[in-house]
């Protein structure tokens, strides 16, 4: 056995307890990593790999980062999905006997990172946990960088789909789960390649007793009673798992974690992952970025808090018309008063990220600049509140703002305006705040003044004109005399250092003053640090109030942003109610309109309801504008339900409970599945989960397979959605199977529309205007010509098309499909609306088969068949 150095032994003991983490091991001014950690970190961080004596001549691989620059390196490693355990010296090396004690003070993981360089300003960074039982799931989420904490339960037959949707919506950085639980496989599959880091909880989820203890320790007995989560034991279990994990990894106060807020997904307009993606709400299909998304149009927020909030509003529109209209009232008030909007935004511009600031305060990582930022933000709150209070529609928001004047005054009195980043060197506390600080500063100033005039005095006393007073860290203050003048040095000078052409001296008096200055400086720095920590604790004690104010500020910021966008892009206030109508006059696509310019965009009307206009069948060639139109309708509904004005001349929106989209463009994201399979899976999901209040956007269903297969599936899907009890929901369906337009004649709720085009010779002109009636032509060849296929090829395609179109088989198949749909409809209607069963059935039921001879049976069967055929 090689003998290890004591330090390596200490390292190994600690590393043993944190095997799944990289260990940052503090040695002097560095965090060092050893062995495999060093190999990995040096590669990821691009830092030099060295080695160190591990004992018995063995060298161990090592690399390190300076501790004062650790944050950026930490952020990088966590960004790679790694966990980092930070091991510090936990006793003063001067007082240590032998090896200084070290311990892990915090574990940083993707879901628990607080370092600003690892966080996106406008996004939340969630840590999530899932609990499950036979009936469903509990899900909890915490963002420790802002203090947000929420939980929900997902139950019933759709629990799994809902959990998937929530995870895709919130995209937590890290998800805790019980690896031995029955649902572990499912969770792993669900997370798939979303980039969510899975953290298995080796010891499982907390038991009911532990759940209670954990919540009680964090919120106290009275706090637990305020939670209002009694009916959500699974959600609470997940929340408790988060608290336990934070206790283990953060090893510090979680005081800024807000009371956990219960919510139900049904309180919001539900959007599944595919729909979120297809509608490009916050991420573009092209590169996942912000450009070209609804968020990029709506986000004119001034603060980081507002930026996060508006994203969450877009991802979670509402369903209750009362709440929606309250939000719309507020937006309208801000639209009407340009002056108030501008003034509010000027104030908001001066507000810092209070949520993250307070979180840093609770963590004890906030510096003096953070507190000055807090003071500046607090100082504008009275103005913010009074601006809000002036308008009846906004006054309730104004009342939600705690202006924190006491705290603001305290911070203003205590802190200088522009303190240094570092907390160890003083310069933080304002003159006049502490008599003791002032006293030390006076002593230091006097000492310095004395020294400043010393140079002049000594020059006069000695007659050496070039005599200088200097300072360095090793010798402190000194008097410097050049070699040529050494003879004039008085007797009380004591030689301290000899340079090439000068000598340095001290005098007892100089040393005395030096002690006074340096002593004052040390004491001052220590005192200022202590006073600062006291201030920070004061702020921490008020963190809940500041957080609540921060929430109101975020809301005001979002409302102003919506109003600003409404004015800038000429949006109107929609009427939002519980009717089944979606009536839009002159609707526009908010994102396309912005990118191609409002004057080039052709506005279109929409009429949908759940009776005679429930299913709009949209035909027209590729490029005609079908997808744009359908998405525009979905986005206008979504905008209205999030409480925004909408791009239209007028709009009435009867709230929808879910929006589903099946749009071709997501094919490439499917990874591994064929286009057709993805299409069918998405369609199946829609049919399974849609209700009569949903809005469906289906683009080219059945496109991914052969013509007849595809046409048949599309046809049957339309009939099913239109006719099925419990469905019959408002649907937009685009297709270039123009054969489907025949359905309008058969089903009362289906209405044909097409995108107008004009033919000009071989060319097509897209008018982008919606017209009643189906198109009977798919214009594929013309579109191909537009795309630049060679003329010779197109001529040949024309010949083939002519042959195919004259083919009787195709026409026959169409007629048969239409006829069979008729029968299908009648059958459905019979079973639905008519109580009387078919006479053949009655007779069949009455037969006593066991008493018949085989010949009687055969005869009866023959007669029944005759009757049945007659009725056909
Ligand atoms: P389709 O789904 O019929 O193939 P798209 O909806 O993809 O057609 O539209 C094709 C192009 O037409 C888009 O790039 C868009 O910029 C433009 N476009 C669509 N609708 C309009 C409109 N109403 N006004 C102006 N341009 C439009």
């Amino acid at each position: 056995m090689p003998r290890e150095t004591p330090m390596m032994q200490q390292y190994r003991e600690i590393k043993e307890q944190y095997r799944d983490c990289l260990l940052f091991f503090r040695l002097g001014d560095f965090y060092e990593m050893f062995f495999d950690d060093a190999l990995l970190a040096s590669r990821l961080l691009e830092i030099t790999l060295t080695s160190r004596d591990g004992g018995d001549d063995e060298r161990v691989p090592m690399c390190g980062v300076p501790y004062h620059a650790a944050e950026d390196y930490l952020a990088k490693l966590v960004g790679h999905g790694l966990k980092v355990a930070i091991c510090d010296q936990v006793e003063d090396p001067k007082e240590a006997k032998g090896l200084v004690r070290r311990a892990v003070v915090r574990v940083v993981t993707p879901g628990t990172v607080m370092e600003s360089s690892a966080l996106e300003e406008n996004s939340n960074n969630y840590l999530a946990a899932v609990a499950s039982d036979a009936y469903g799931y509990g899900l909890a989420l915490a963002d420790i960088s802002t203090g947000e904490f929420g939980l929900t339960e997902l139950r019933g037959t759709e629990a799994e789909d809902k959990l998937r949707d929530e995870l895709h919506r919130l995209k937590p950085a890290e998800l805790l789960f019980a690896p031995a639980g029955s649902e572990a496989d499912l969770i792993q599959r669900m997370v798939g390649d979303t980039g969510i880091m899975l953290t298995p909880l080796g010891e499982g989820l907390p038991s009911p007793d532990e759940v209670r203890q954990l919540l009680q320790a964090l919120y106290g007995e009275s706090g637990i009673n305020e939670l209002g989560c009694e009916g959500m034991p699974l959600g609470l279990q997940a929340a408790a798992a988060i608290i336990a994990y934070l206790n283990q990894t953060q090893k510090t106060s979680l005081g800024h974690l807000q009371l956990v807020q219960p919510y139900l997904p049904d309180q919001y307009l539900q959007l599944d992952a595919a729909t979120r993606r297809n509608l490009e709400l916050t991420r573009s299909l092209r590169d996942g970025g912000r450009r070209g998304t609804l968020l990029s149009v709506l986000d004119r927020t001034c603060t980081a808090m507002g930026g996060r909030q508006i994203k969450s509003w877009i991802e979670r529109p509402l369903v209750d018309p009362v709440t929606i209209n309250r939000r719309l009232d507020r937006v309208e008030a801000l639209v009407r008063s340009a002056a108030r909007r501008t003034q509010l935004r000027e104030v908001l511009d001066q507000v810092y990220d209070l949520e993250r600031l307070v979180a840093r305060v609770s963590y004890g990582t906030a510096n003096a600049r953070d507190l000055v930022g807090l003071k500046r933000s607090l100082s504008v709150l009275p103005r913010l509140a009074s601006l809000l209070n002036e308008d009846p529609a906004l006054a309730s928001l104004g009342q939600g703002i705690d202006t924190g004047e006491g705290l603001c005054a305290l911070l203003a009195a205590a802190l200088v305006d522009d303190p240094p980043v570092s907390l160890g060197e003083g310069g933080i506390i304002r003159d006049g705040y502490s008599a003791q600080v002032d006293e030390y500063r006076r002593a230091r100033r006097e000492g310095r003044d004395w020294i400043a005039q010393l140079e002049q005095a000594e020059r006069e006393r000695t007659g050496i004109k070039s005599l200088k007073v200097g300072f360095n860290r090793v010798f402190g203050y000194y008097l410097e005399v050049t070699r040529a003048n050494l003879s004039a040095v008085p007797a009380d000078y004591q030689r301290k250092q000899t340079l090439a052409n000068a000598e340095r001296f001290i005098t007892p008096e100089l040393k005395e003053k030096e002690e006074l200055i340096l002593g004052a400086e040390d004491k001052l720095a220590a005192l200022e640090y202590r006073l600062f920590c006291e201030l920070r604790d004061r702020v921490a004690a008020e963190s809940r109030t500041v957080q609540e104010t921060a929430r109101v500020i975020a809301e005001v910021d979002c409302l102003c942003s919506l109003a600003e966008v409404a004015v800038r892009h000429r949006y109107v206030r929609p009427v939002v109610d519980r009717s089944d109508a979606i009536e839009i006059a002159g609707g526009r696509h908010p994102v396309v309109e912005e990118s191609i310019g409002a004057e080039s965009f052709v506005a279109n009307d929409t009429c949908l309801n759940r009776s005679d206009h429930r299913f709009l069948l949209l035909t027209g060639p590729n490029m005609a504008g079908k997808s744009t139109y359908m998405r525009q309708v979905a986005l206008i509904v979504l905008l209205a339900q999030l409480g925004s004005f909408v791009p239209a001349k007028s709009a009435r929106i009867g709230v929808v409970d879910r929006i589903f989209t099946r749009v071709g463009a997501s094919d490439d994201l499917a990874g591994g599945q064929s286009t057709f399979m993805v299409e069918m899976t998405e369609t199946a999901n829609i049919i399974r989960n849609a209700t009569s209040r949903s809005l469906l956007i289906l683009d080219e269903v059945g496109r991914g397979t052969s013509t007849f297969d595809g046409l048949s599936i599309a046809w049957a899907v339309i009939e099913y959605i239109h006719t099925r009890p419990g469905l019959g929901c408002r649907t937009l369906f685009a297709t270039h199977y123009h054969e489907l337009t025949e359905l309008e004649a058969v089903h009362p709720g289906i209405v044909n529309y097409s995108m107008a085009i004009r033919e000009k010779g071989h060319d097509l002109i897209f008018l982008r205007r919606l017209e009643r009636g189906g198109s009977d032509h798919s214009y594929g060849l013309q579109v191909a010509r537009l795309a630049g296929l060679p003329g010779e090829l197109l001529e040949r395609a024309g010949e083939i098309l002519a042959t195919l179109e004259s083919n009787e088989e195709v026409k026959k198949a169409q007629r048969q499909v239409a006829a069979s749909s008729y029968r299908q409809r009648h059958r459905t209607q019979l079973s639905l609306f008519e109580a009387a069963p078919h006479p053949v059935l009655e007779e069949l039921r009455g037969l006593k088969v066991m008493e018949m001879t085989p010949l009687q049976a055969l005869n009866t069967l023959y007669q029944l068949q005759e009757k049945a055929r007659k009725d056909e």
Side-chain angles (χ1 to χ4, degrees), residues 592 596 600-602 604 621-628 768:
V592 176
I596 67 172
S600 322
F601 194 89
V602 182
N604 276 304
N622 278 321
M623 283 301 287
K626 301 184 299 297
S627 323
T628 307
R768 320 275 191 220

Side-chain angles (χ1 to χ4, degrees), residues 270-505:
Q270 287 178 56
L271 303 160
D272 61 4
T275 302
R276 255 171 240 294
R277 206 167 53 225
N278 291 335
L279 292 179
E280 303 190 276
L281 299 184
T282 58
R283 300 154 67 88
S284 74
L285 280 172
R286 198 164 22 90
D287 58 6
R290 226 173 127 92
R291 265 189 68 177
T293 63
L294 185 65
L295 177 64
S296 74
V297 177
L298 289 196
D299 186 2
R300 296 268 175 276
T301 55
C302 306
T303 68
M305 297 168 283
R308 290 191 292 271
Q309 181 75 280
I310 196 129
K311 187 164 170 229
S312 131
W313 280 10
I314 292 172
E315 288 178 328
R316 230 159 59 151
L318 307 166
V319 286
D320 172 23
V322 177
T323 332
I324 296 171
N325 280 308
R326 192 176 324 127
R327 223 181 252 177
L328 282 168
D329 288 343
R330 291 170 171 170
V331 176
E332 184 173 347
L334 291 165
V335 165
R336 283 172 190 273
S337 171
R340 175 157 309 113
R341 197 171 68 241
T342 313
Q343 288 161 345
L344 280 170
R345 285 162 61 84
E346 276 166 13
V347 174
L348 289 168
D349 267 332
Q350 300 172 52
V351 177
Y352 287 64
D353 191 343
L354 290 179
E355 288 176 324
R356 290 204 165 145
L357 230 151
V358 165
R360 284 203 295 278
V361 166
S362 293
Y363 256 65
T365 53
N367 61 22
R369 290 196 180 170
D370 287 326
L371 292 200
V372 170
L374 175 64
K375 179 204 76 181
R376 293 214 177 108
S377 311
L378 292 175
S379 71
V380 298
L381 294 185
R383 168 113 178 100
L384 188 69
S386 80
L387 280 169
L388 294 168
N389 288 333
E390 283 163 18
D391 190 309
L394 305 171
S396 57
L397 287 168
Q399 278 136 33
I401 291 181
D402 185 315
T403 48
E405 272 139 345
L407 190 59
C408 182
L410 174 69
L411 293 173
L415 297 170
V416 299
D417 288 338
D418 193 12
V421 179
S422 150
L423 289 176
E425 288 150 30
I428 301 173
I429 302 293
R430 193 184 282 280
D431 285 341
Y433 175 70
S434 148
Q436 191 65 58
V437 167
D438 292 351
E439 176 57 29
Y440 289 143
R441 284 196 181 140
R442 196 185 46 75
R444 183 178 63 179
R445 199 168 43 242
E446 278 175 12
R448 282 182 181 164
D449 287 350
W450 183 86
I451 284 174
Q453 55 77 36
L454 178 69
E455 195 168 88
Q456 196 50 42
E458 288 301 299
R459 278 182 190 171
E460 278 167 19
R461 175 157 82 103
T462 60
I464 307 171
K465 291 218 171 53
S466 61
L467 182 142
K468 276 192 305 199
V469 174
F471 177 82
N472 73 28
R473 288 201 173 269
V474 183
F475 297 112
Y477 287 98
Y478 54 79
L479 297 153
E480 188 173 295
V481 178
T482 53
R483 198 162 285 279
N485 291 310
L486 282 180
S487 54
V489 166
D492 60 335
Y493 276 28
Q494 301 166 12
R495 181 172 306 125
K496 202 68 193 166
Q497 191 185 11
T498 305
L499 304 178
N501 47 21
E503 300 231 335
R504 289 175 175 173
F505 302 89

Side-chain angles (χ1 to χ4, degrees), residues 140-142 149-151 153 206-247 254-255 257-262 544:
L141 294 124
F149 195 13
L151 66 79
E153 282 197 6
S207 69
D209 275 349
E210 288 165 336
V211 169
R212 219 186 145 69
Q213 283 161 14
L214 284 160
L215 291 168
Q216 200 164 2
L218 186 56
Y219 298 128
E221 189 64 49
S222 59
I224 295 197
N225 298 335
E226 277 175 46
L227 294 181
C229 306
E230 294 76 21
M232 297 194 175
L234 274 185
L236 279 175
Q237 195 186 19
I242 288 187
I243 298 172
Y245 185 69
L246 289 176
N247 286 340
L254 300 175
L257 217 52
Q258 294 163 16
L259 283 184
V260 57
Q261 298 271 339
R544 291 262 152 79

Side-chain angles (χ1 to χ4, degrees), residues 4 116 139 168 378 551 622:
E4 283 181 325
S116 359
L139 174 68
H168 281 255
L378 292 175
R551 267 213 295 267
N622 278 321

Side-chain angles (χ1 to χ4, degrees), residues 631-746:
R631 288 169 193 221
Q632 156 186 325
V633 174
L635 289 175
I636 288 176
V637 169
L638 191 139
L639 280 168
Q641 291 194 210
L642 79 84
S644 166
F645 280 28
V646 298
K649 283 217 175 69
S650 72
R652 175 171 182 212
I653 308 295
V655 285
V656 311
D657 64 350
R658 300 159 193 218
I659 299 178
F660 290 100
T661 62
R662 161 62 222 140
V663 181
S666 64
D667 298 350
D668 52 338
L669 298 170
Q673 285 188 329
S674 76
T675 308
F676 183 60
M677 188 61 194
V678 175
E679 193 184 319
M680 289 298 107
T681 314
E682 286 188 10
T683 309
N685 172 48
I686 293 174
I687 285 176
R688 199 168 56 233
N689 292 317
T691 76
S692 57
R693 282 217 77 90
S694 304
L695 172 66
L696 269 49
I697 305 290
L698 301 169
D699 199 356
E700 312 271 12
V701 168
R703 183 197 49 159
T705 182
S706 74
T707 310
F708 281 161
D709 274 9
L711 178 57
S712 327
I713 290 172
W715 195 296
V717 165
I718 296 175
E719 286 181 343
Y720 191 91
I721 294 171
H722 174 272
T723 314
R724 182 100 181 153
L727 269 176
C729 44
R730 291 162 284 182
T731 305
L732 291 164
F733 191 103
T735 181
H736 48 255
Y737 293 131
H738 41 82
E739 294 85 348
L740 293 173
T741 53
E742 297 200 18
L743 282 162
E744 183 184 56
V746 188

